[in-house]
Amino acid sequence: MTGVQTCALPIWEKIAELRKKKGLTQVQFAKKLKIQRTALTRIELGKTNYTIKSLRNIAKELEISIEELVDRKSTRLNSSHTDISRMPSSA
């Protein structure tokens, strides 16, 4: 095994991880989102449904696109894909 993580994070874990990487507490991030900290806790525990509006707001505050937020593929795996157009043909 190479140590590369192959499973994607659920969206709620991704939100929490990205928030922490930005150095924000739940209180600080909730304030930016204009929601209660308890609402953010429910989001980060996966105990609530997301609206497009809430996802847009979360992505904006995390400075990423909605697509990046909801993409279940690992960023590391995406960046290390092989461009098959540059591979020599086997024929």
Side-chain angles (χ1 to χ4, degrees):
M1 184 157 257
T2 63
V4 175
Q5 185 175 357
T6 57
C7 61
L9 291 176
I11 190 169
W12 57 88
E13 288 182 16
K14 196 172 191 178
I15 292 167
E17 181 180 292
L18 291 170
R19 170 187 58 79
K20 291 172 188 173
K21 282 185 180 180
K22 291 191 87 46
L24 296 170
T25 65
Q26 280 190 332
V27 172
Q28 292 167 325
F29 193 48
K31 189 172 184 177
K32 286 179 167 283
L33 295 173
K34 298 178 180 147
I35 62 174
Q36 297 291 318
R37 187 208 45 86
T38 54
L40 179 58
T41 298
R42 291 182 58 74
I43 289 170
E44 291 186 354
L45 292 174
K47 295 187 177 200
T48 190
N49 292 323
Y50 310 100
T51 64
I52 295 296
K53 183 179 178 180
S54 67
L55 289 175
R56 188 177 297 133
N57 196 23
I58 290 167
K60 178 183 170 192
E61 292 301 330
L62 292 172
E63 299 175 330
I64 61 172
S65 69
I66 292 178
E67 291 80 10
E68 289 173 291
L69 183 61
V70 299
D71 185 8
R72 295 203 32 99
K73 296 177 185 171
S74 167
T75 304
R76 183 170 177 178
L77 292 176
N78 284 345
S79 65
S80 65
H81 75 280
T82 303
D83 182 357
I84 61 170
S85 66
R86 294 180 168 212
M87 294 179 74
S89 75
S90 58

